[in-house]
Amino acid sequence: MEKLNRFMSYLKGSFNNDNQLKEEKDSTGEVRTPMAKHIIGVCNDKIKNLPDGFEGYFTIDETYYNHGEKKTALHHLFLYTLNEENDVVLTSYELPSDVDYNDFINANENLIMDYNKLELSKKFTPITFEEKDGYFLAESESDFSPEVVFTAIEKVYDGKMYVTEIFRKNGVIVSGTEEPIVYDRIESL
C-alpha cells in the first residue's frame, strides 16, 4: 500500500496548465494547447457498502477544457489499486445512473454512491502505472468502437502531470494531440 499511497499523494489535487500556456505564448507568440483544469479527489467517503479492509482509492476525476469558443467538461469515476506486481492499476467505472452528470463533482457534499451498484466501464481497458525514477508512467489503448481507438499516455510526478489523450477514428486523430497537456498542481485536496 505504500506505493499506492505515494501515487495518490502525487495525483490528488487541483491542476491546471497555465504555465504551459504561458511558455507557448512566450516562445512562439501563439497558444496551441487548450486551457485545461483537472481536479482529482478521493471519494471513498462518498461510497457506502465498501467491503471491510478495502484496499483501493476511488476518485472523482474532473477535466475542463477551454478551446476558445468550445468548452468541454469530462467527469469520471476511477478506482486505483495495486496488482500482483505491485504496480498501480486504474480501472474505470460507469457513472451512477441516479446521479446527474453535472452533479458528479468533488465539491458535491451530498453525493453518495452504493458500491454494490457500481459497474465497470465496458469500453475502457484498465491502465497500469509503472514506477520509474521519480514518477509513474502509464500507456494504454482502448477500443471504443470498431473504428474508434482511445490512446492515453500519462506521466505522474509529485505535483505535475503530463497527459496525452487521443481519439482516433479509422486511424485519423479526431480529438486530442500528440503533444501532452502539462498540468501543475495549484491546490491539494
Side-chain angles (χ1 to χ4, degrees):
M1 283 295 286
E2 179 185 330
K3 181 186 279 189
L4 182 58
N5 290 337
R6 182 171 54 258
F7 177 82
M8 295 307 298
S9 74
Y10 288 10
L11 189 70
K12 294 184 306 184
S14 182
F15 297 78
N16 68 31
N17 69 332
D18 289 358
N19 289 333
Q20 179 184 27
L21 299 176
K22 182 181 179 331
E23 288 173 14
E24 283 182 10
K25 180 77 170 166
D26 290 348
S27 66
T28 67
E30 65 179 358
V31 176
R32 301 173 316 280
T33 307
M35 183 183 301
K37 183 173 184 178
H38 205 81
I39 304 167
I40 303 168
V42 172
C43 63
N44 287 21
D45 61 333
K46 297 177 184 290
I47 302 174
K48 62 183 181 181
N49 297 318
L50 274 176
D52 289 338
F54 185 77
E55 293 189 350
Y57 295 101
F58 278 97
T59 65
I60 295 174
D61 187 296
E62 304 169 54
T63 307
Y64 303 94
Y65 298 107
N66 183 338
H67 309 270
E69 293 184 18
K70 182 181 177 196
K71 292 181 172 55
T72 306
L74 302 173
H75 303 175
H76 300 284
L77 176 62
F78 292 142
L79 172 62
Y80 293 90
T81 56
L82 291 175
N83 65 13
E84 299 79 29
E85 291 80 34
N86 203 38
D87 289 323
V88 177
V89 177
L90 178 162
T91 306
S92 181
Y93 280 75
E94 300 293 341
L95 297 188
S97 59
D98 59 341
V99 177
D100 182 87
Y101 188 82
N102 293 318
D103 292 335
F104 196 80
I105 58 173
N106 286 285
N108 183 349
E109 295 178 5
N110 298 316
L111 178 61
I112 298 292
M113 297 168 271
D114 186 341
Y115 177 81
N116 297 318
K117 294 181 179 178
L118 296 179
E119 296 179 28
L120 285 170
S121 170
K122 294 173 180 67
K123 295 180 180 177
F124 190 87
T125 303
I127 297 176
T128 301
F129 287 85
E130 294 181 18
E131 189 169 21
K132 303 293 185 182
D133 188 21
Y135 66 96
F136 291 84
L137 175 66
E139 299 181 56
S140 174
E141 281 194 354
S142 296
D143 294 323
F144 277 45
S145 75
E147 302 90 21
V148 178
V149 175
F150 172 69
T151 303
I153 303 169
E154 297 186 38
K155 288 174 84 171
V156 179
Y157 293 82
D158 187 6
K160 192 176 204 86
M161 295 186 297
Y162 294 78
V163 179
T164 303
E165 295 177 329
I166 302 170
F167 282 93
R168 288 185 175 88
K169 184 172 184 177
N170 297 319
V172 177
I173 294 176
V174 294
S175 178
T177 70
E178 302 275 352
E179 189 75 24
I181 294 179
V182 182
Y183 291 99
D184 293 296
R185 183 183 296 129
I186 55 172
E187 180 183 2
S188 295
L189 295 181

